[in-house]
């Protein structure tokens, strides 16, 4: 919702690749306005600030006291997320934090609980939910168009460039892990969306690229739900082509999703075959990126974040509790790799207030 009729004011923390995209998305999103940018490297922040004509702030803590800042977008190295998100919540700001929400599950649970206690919105940046083929597949699964989902397979990743491998992503103290912590959150989140809540995980990680210890370049994870449903996730920094593919098998049909480029195929319970190539949407997306400098999915995620909850429909964006569960799933895979056994996932203890949606705090705006 709008704050004082001007739109929700955002401070972007982290002005690297993702932070710059997030800043551009705020500029393009309805009901949003970019107030300022902060980065540990002032020169990087100045580039983004000049591009959008907004202030560059050197001190994150002081910017949190500004009345015009209603919410914070965090796009920094993973290990910084917990402290920065905690500071924002305690200052009375809503938070959209890039995935992973945190690198430690206990910290993610603490953030989600605290956001509910303070009644401020906490969301996790998992924008792949807004990709057209994923959006349409979620709708089909929700309508039972392929029956009950029995198995989901997801593969995600890229061929890591030398520049990427020299970045903070391979510094375990800042990244918290390798490809599973980097790309894996998107796949884990979508497994939950298609399959339902997972109750156990196992997996293994490997390092064919010879990266520093604890920073895997390959990971395979297996999950199961409470009703015999299963899922497999492969996350890789050596993927030769594509980015994210998902196969969903139901009792009455199947779906196949590709995201590079967008495509959705499958067989529904009626026997009807579907093929959607999204040609018009792909052309529109290229134009949009050229005009605004970001993916449209990021804009849709920002607009969902500032939209006041209402009715019985679930939130479109990933909540803090969604991000918490994803962190728990990834941690369980790492522990399974170490212990050589399946790891059960704890039930989430969430305080429920009558008449209030869980994980969706009351906004301080509008």
């Amino acid at each position: 919702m709008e704050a004082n009729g001007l739109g929700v004011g955002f401070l972007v923390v982290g002005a690297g690749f993702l932070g710059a995209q997030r800043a551009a998305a705020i500029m393009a999103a309805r009901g949003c306005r970019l107030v300022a940018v902060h980065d540990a490297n002032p020169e990087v922040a100045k580039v983004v600030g000049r591009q959008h004509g907004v202030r560059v702030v050197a001190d994150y803590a002081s910017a949190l006291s500004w009345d015009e800042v209603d919410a914070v977008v965090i796009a920094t190295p993973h290990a910084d997320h917990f402290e920065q998100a905690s500071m924002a919540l305690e200052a009375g700001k809503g938070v959209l934090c890039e995935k992973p929400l945190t690198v430690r599950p206990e910290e993610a649970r603490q953030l989600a609980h605290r956001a509910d206690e303070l009644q401020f919105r906490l969301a996790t940046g998992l924008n792949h939910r807004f990709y057209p083929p994923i959006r349409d597949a979620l709708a089909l699964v929700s309508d039972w168009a392929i029956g009950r989902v029995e198995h989901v397979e997801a593969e995600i990743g890229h061929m890591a460039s030398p520049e990427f491998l020299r970045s903070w992503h391979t510094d375990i103290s800042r990244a918290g892990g390798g490809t599973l912590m980097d790309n894996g959150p998107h796949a884990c989140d979508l497994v939950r969306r298609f399959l339902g809540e997972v109750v156990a995980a196992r997996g293994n990680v490997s390092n064919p690229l010879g990266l520093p210890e604890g920073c895997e370049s390959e990971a395979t994870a297996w999950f199961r739900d409470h009703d015999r449903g299963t899922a497999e996730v492969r996350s890789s920094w050596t993927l030769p082509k594509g980015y994210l593919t998902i196969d969903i098998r139901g009792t009455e049909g199947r779906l196949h999703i590709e995201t590079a480029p967008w495509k959705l195929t499958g067989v529904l319970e009626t026997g009807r075959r579907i093929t959607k190539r999204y040609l018009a949407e792909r052309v529109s997306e290229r134009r949009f990126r050229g005009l605004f400098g970001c993916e449209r999915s990021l804009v849709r995620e920002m607009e969902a974040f500032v939209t006041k909850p209402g009715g019985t429909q679930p939130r479109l964006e990933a909540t803090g509790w969604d991000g918490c569960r994803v962190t728990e799933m990834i941690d369980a895979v790492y522990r399974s790799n170490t212990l050589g056994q399946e790891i059960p996932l704890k039930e989430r203890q969430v305080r429920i207030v009558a008449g209030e949606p869980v994980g969706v705090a009351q906004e301080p705006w509008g």
Side-chain angles (χ1 to χ4, degrees), residues 316-333:
L316 294 176
E317 85 279 13
T319 66
W321 285 111
D322 291 323
C324 176
R325 197 54 160 184
V326 166
T327 297
E328 291 172 339
M329 291 167 71
I330 292 170
D331 178 73
V333 172

Side-chain angles (χ1 to χ4, degrees), residues 18-26 73 96 98 125-127 298 301-302:
L18 279 174
Q21 289 242 328
R22 287 289 180 184
I26 292 167
V73 170
L96 191 154
E98 270 293 344
L126 292 163
N127 61 298
L298 296 174
E301 189 171 49
M302 295 307 307

Side-chain angles (χ1 to χ4, degrees), residues 273-289:
R273 295 181 177 273
I274 61 168
T275 299
K276 297 188 70 173
R277 299 184 182 276
Y278 300 93
L279 298 179
E281 291 92 337
R282 284 156 55 184
V283 171
S284 176
E285 178 72 15
R286 284 195 295 272
R287 290 174 177 169
F288 186 91
R289 294 186 188 191

Side-chain angles (χ1 to χ4, degrees), residues 12 33 73 76 109 126 143 145 162 173 236 242 322 342 347:
V12 172
R33 59 189 173 90
V73 170
T76 53
R109 288 190 289 269
L126 292 163
D143 290 341
S173 67
S236 173
D322 291 323
E342 182 180 83
E347 294 184 6

Side-chain angles (χ1 to χ4, degrees), residues 180-227:
L180 189 60
M181 192 68 78
D182 176 40
N183 304 120
H186 287 299
C188 290
D189 175 60
L190 293 172
V191 159
R192 293 181 63 240
R193 295 283 285 176
F194 286 116
L195 187 66
E197 192 59 272
V198 298
V199 299
R202 60 187 176 91
N204 57 63
V205 301
S206 60
N207 193 3
L209 294 181
L211 301 176
E213 184 177 356
C215 188
E216 78 286 347
S217 51
E218 294 280 347
T220 304
W222 296 270
F223 303 99
R224 61 180 178 85
D225 69 4
H226 68 284
D227 191 29

